[in-house]
Structures are given as structure tokens and as C-alpha cells.
Amino acid sequence: MELSFYIHIPYCVKRCGYCDFNTYTPAELQISTGLTQISNSYIDLLIAEIDLAKAQVGDATVPTIFFGGGTPSLMEPSDIGRVIEAIDNKFGLSDDCEITLETNPDTVDKEKLAAFKTAGVNRISFGMQSAVPHVLATLDRTHNPDNLPQVTKWAAEVGFKDVSVDLIYGTPGETLADWQTSIDAALALPINHISAYALIVEEGTKLANAIKRGEIANVDDDLTAEKYLMADAAFSKAGFTWYELSNWSKNSGESKHNIAYWLNKNWWGAGPGAHSHINGKRWWNVKHPNLYREKMQQNISPELDSEVLEPIQIESERLMLSIRLPEGITKESLSAEQIATLHHYVQSGALDTAKWDAGSVSLTLNGRLIADRIVREITF
């Protein structure tokens, strides 16, 4: 059996205004000495959960590890190495195991990037979001956009062959020209992967509250769709191929870890709030780092709740995830009623006619803009 690992690092120096992820600042955790104080002891807890995973799963090979957050690059490289080593010792890494570290550009220098590489990380994903200062300010994002050329250059110099950047489009106040500036800035970097996500304003975030109060305009959906088309055209021209709705790569630079999610494979999520999925069962851990620590120190499972997926849930998720990929959904896996529903989208140009005739439901560029609507109509 193959088992991917997601390792959650729930710490940030500052919370960005658009973020609703399960992350905490030193102030929120009442830590006066900063994050270096907790790096080592938190990693001990993660290693204890990896032991728990071994006891529950037994033998497995690990094809991917993903350190997400939060800001994993705040951790000491030696501590990240300890997690990789623990997973390798308990399970065994595949020969081509992909090990990704999400990184805030302001948190690393060349020496630290080299240390992460030595620790076993072989893929770096930089949170870029935008190259335009006023857009970053609206997102309440703290990093300096001028750092991206330097940190990606360092990453290449210390030996990272797989380097990705994340972009966000659709921020209120972001013009088409602003977005083009960010696209051009990203494509000028020594990278082989780009993720570009439409901004979703999450309830309860600082950004959502500012929009509610009328201090910031709401997201313009038509403009957001236009920005997606701009991005795809520019990325394609630069040699990047879309392999999932929000992801483009070149030089075989796809994220194997994320593909495992989209194909509904097995993964273990370690850390507070992390979700896991193994053979149709899904569970998630307690959210707060202090409660997680308490559970692990008492040798109690950190699991908060779980569900065994019903066949109808598994099928709905298969449809929702498969349609995001170029291969799409096989027509033979659909009912006559679902196929009849989809005919309209073939005629309107949202589904690829040649692929339809060859037996698959695959989105065209315009179809990608309405993927959610199409899935809703065939999910019963």
C-alpha cells in the first residue's frame, strides 16, 4: 500500500487578512520568545503521531510528503529532517519520493534553503500571491514581492529542481494590468510549477469583515474569470501545461502529492486540524495546538471525529475531483441520465467534443470556468 503524508505546521509570524487556515501566531498562543522555542518540541509530537500511524496502518510505502501550514519554513531544517527520517524509518520512502515544503519568501536565506535540501526536502513551494504591493496590502500579506527573484534563484543554486509559486487572483482592487504584472513576474522566475487560485473570501476573516463594513469592494466574478483566461494563455505560451484546474507545470513538474488528493488516494495528515483519508474512511484531528499537544503527551489519539464515506459520497467526490483533471471522467462510469445532462455542455463548447467522442468528459478552457456548475448537475 502507498500512504502519502501531510505534515501540518500551524504557526505563522502574522496572520494574513484573507487566511482562514488552522494557523496561530506566537501572540495567539501566548509564546513570548517566538517560534524557535516551539520548533523542536512540536516536531517531537509529530513524530509521536507518525508512530501512531505505523501502529494503525502497518506496512506502507510513502510516495509523497507535504509540509504545509501555516509557515513550515519557520521550522528548523534539522527538525524538518527529523520528520522525514521518522517517516522513512517507520514506513520507507519510495525511490522518487516527492518532499515539498511550503515557504514564505521572507523566512529563508540561501543557507537555510541549502539546509532544507540537505534535510531531504526536494520540492519548494513559495507563497507569492502577487507581485503588486497594493494587492498584497489588501490581502494583508507581509512578504516583500522583491524577494521572490532572489529566493527562487537561491533555491535553484542550492539544487532544487522543482520550484513552485502560488498566486492569488481576484483580490478587490486588482486590475487586469496588476494581474498581468504578477503573471509576468512569476514567469520571469526559475520555476517549473505555478498554482493560481481565485480568491475566496472566507467568513470571519479580516478581509471578509472589511468587505462587510464597505471598506473594501467585493470580488468581481466576471473580472476573476477573465483573469483565469489571461493566466492560462500566458502560462501556456511560456511552456506550462495545465494538469489540474488551478495548476500548471512544465518539465514533469506536477505536484505528485496534490495529484494523490485528486485521485482520492490514501494519506495521513499529522498535526492539529490535519485531515486523513484511508480506504474510504476520513478523520480529522483536534484543531488547537495546545489540545493536540495535551493529547499526544498523554499518548491519546488526537483524532477529533471521523466518517466512513457512503458509496454516494465516494462517487460525488470522484466526479468533483476527476473533472478538474485534463483526463476528466470516463463516460462509461456515468449513467444514461448523467450523459444526457452533459450533452448540453458538449454543444455549448464547455466539454471537449473530440474527447467526448473518444469516451471521456473533459473540460475545454471555457468549461473550466464553470466546472462547479457542471459537477452540480450530474451529482445526484
Side-chain angles (χ1 to χ4, degrees):
M1 155 175 173
E2 286 194 332
L3 180 68
S4 289
F5 270 86
Y6 170 78
I7 307 295
H8 189 60
I9 308 294
Y11 306 113
C12 286
V13 171
K14 175 184 178 294
R15 180 181 294 280
C16 298
Y18 66 92
C19 177
D20 76 332
F21 295 154
N22 188 40
T23 64
Y24 302 84
T25 65
E28 288 168 344
L29 295 172
Q30 298 181 323
I31 298 169
S32 58
T33 53
L35 291 169
T36 50
Q37 173 192 336
I38 57 174
S39 175
N40 194 269
S41 62
Y42 176 65
I43 297 300
D44 289 340
L45 305 178
L46 291 174
I47 290 172
E49 190 177 350
I50 291 161
D51 291 344
L52 193 155
K54 176 63 177 180
Q56 184 170 320
V57 174
D59 292 339
T61 303
V62 177
T64 67
I65 303 171
F66 193 101
F67 291 88
T71 311
S73 53
L74 289 171
M75 298 290 101
E76 295 299 318
S78 58
D79 284 332
I80 295 294
R82 288 171 60 214
V83 174
I84 296 168
E85 186 179 2
I87 294 172
D88 191 17
N89 289 341
K90 291 292 177 184
F91 293 96
L93 308 183
S94 66
D95 290 341
D96 59 347
C97 183
E98 173 193 273
I99 304 176
T100 303
L101 184 87
E102 286 190 330
T103 305
N104 180 309
D106 284 357
T107 63
V108 291
D109 54 22
K110 187 173 182 179
E111 184 181 15
K112 193 167 188 182
L113 286 169
F116 282 129
K117 183 80 169 54
T118 301
V121 175
N122 55 25
R123 184 174 182 273
I124 289 278
S125 178
F126 288 107
M128 178 176 177
Q129 279 67 55
S130 174
V132 179
H134 81 82
V135 174
L136 290 170
T138 301
L139 292 171
D140 197 25
R141 176 78 181 177
T142 58
H143 79 260
N144 179 354
D146 295 336
N147 285 348
L148 265 298
Q150 183 63 76
V151 293
T152 51
K153 181 168 176 283
W154 283 336
E157 286 173 355
V158 302
F160 284 103
K161 304 228 173 353
D162 292 310
V163 180
S164 177
V165 294
D166 286 353
L167 294 173
I168 291 176
Y169 59 94
T171 301
E174 178 189 61
T175 66
L176 294 176
D178 290 333
W179 177 228
Q180 189 64 55
T181 296
S182 293
I183 290 171
D184 293 343
L187 291 175
L189 302 172
I191 59 174
N192 66 346
H193 188 279
I194 299 176
S195 299
Y197 300 106
L199 176 68
I200 297 172
V201 179
E202 301 288 0
E203 195 67 32
T205 59
K206 187 176 173 184
L207 177 62
N209 293 335
I211 290 171
K212 249 184 210 167
R213 293 192 298 267
E215 296 165 7
I216 295 174
N218 213 332
V219 173
D220 183 326
D221 290 338
D222 291 338
L223 207 56
T224 296
E226 193 171 343
K227 288 172 184 174
Y228 182 89
L229 299 176
M230 283 171 62
D232 185 76
F235 298 160
S236 300
K237 187 176 178 186
F240 289 78
T241 303
W242 83 277
Y243 71 95
E244 191 276 338
L245 219 54
S246 302
N247 290 272
W248 293 257
S249 73
K250 62 180 181 181
N251 306 333
S252 302
E254 300 90 348
S255 166
K256 291 195 295 182
H257 185 84
N258 286 337
I259 289 172
Y261 290 151
W262 298 319
L263 297 180
N264 229 356
K265 297 197 172 181
N266 293 327
W267 75 88
W268 188 290
H275 286 235
S276 303
H277 168 264
I278 296 181
N279 298 335
K281 181 187 175 186
R282 181 180 292 136
W283 69 94
W284 46 98
N285 288 346
V286 294
K287 286 187 75 170
H288 200 280
N290 292 346
L291 182 55
Y292 176 80
R293 177 181 299 278
E294 191 180 302
K295 297 265 189 190
M296 295 308 302
Q297 286 176 340
Q298 294 175 16
N299 205 23
I300 299 170
S301 168
E303 182 181 315
L304 174 65
D305 206 351
S306 67
E307 62 176 337
V308 175
L309 299 176
E310 298 291 334
I312 192 166
Q313 289 175 284
I314 293 171
E315 176 60 9
S316 293
E317 290 192 9
R318 181 186 75 85
L319 297 175
M320 179 185 70
L321 295 168
S322 296
I323 206 164
R324 298 179 67 88
L325 307 175
E327 300 78 20
I329 304 163
T330 58
K331 281 167 68 179
E332 65 182 16
S333 69
L334 300 175
S335 68
E337 187 180 355
Q338 287 170 314
I339 289 172
T341 300
L342 289 169
H343 266 293
H344 161 70
Y345 290 108
V346 180
Q347 292 163 351
S348 70
L351 296 177
D352 187 295
T353 305
K355 289 184 178 179
W356 177 269
D357 292 341
S360 70
V361 179
S362 182
L363 299 170
T364 62
L365 177 56
N366 286 329
R368 286 186 245 163
L369 299 175
I370 56 169
D372 291 344
R373 185 198 309 170
I374 295 171
V375 168
R376 279 197 301 272
E377 292 198 22
I378 57 170
T379 305
F380 303 110

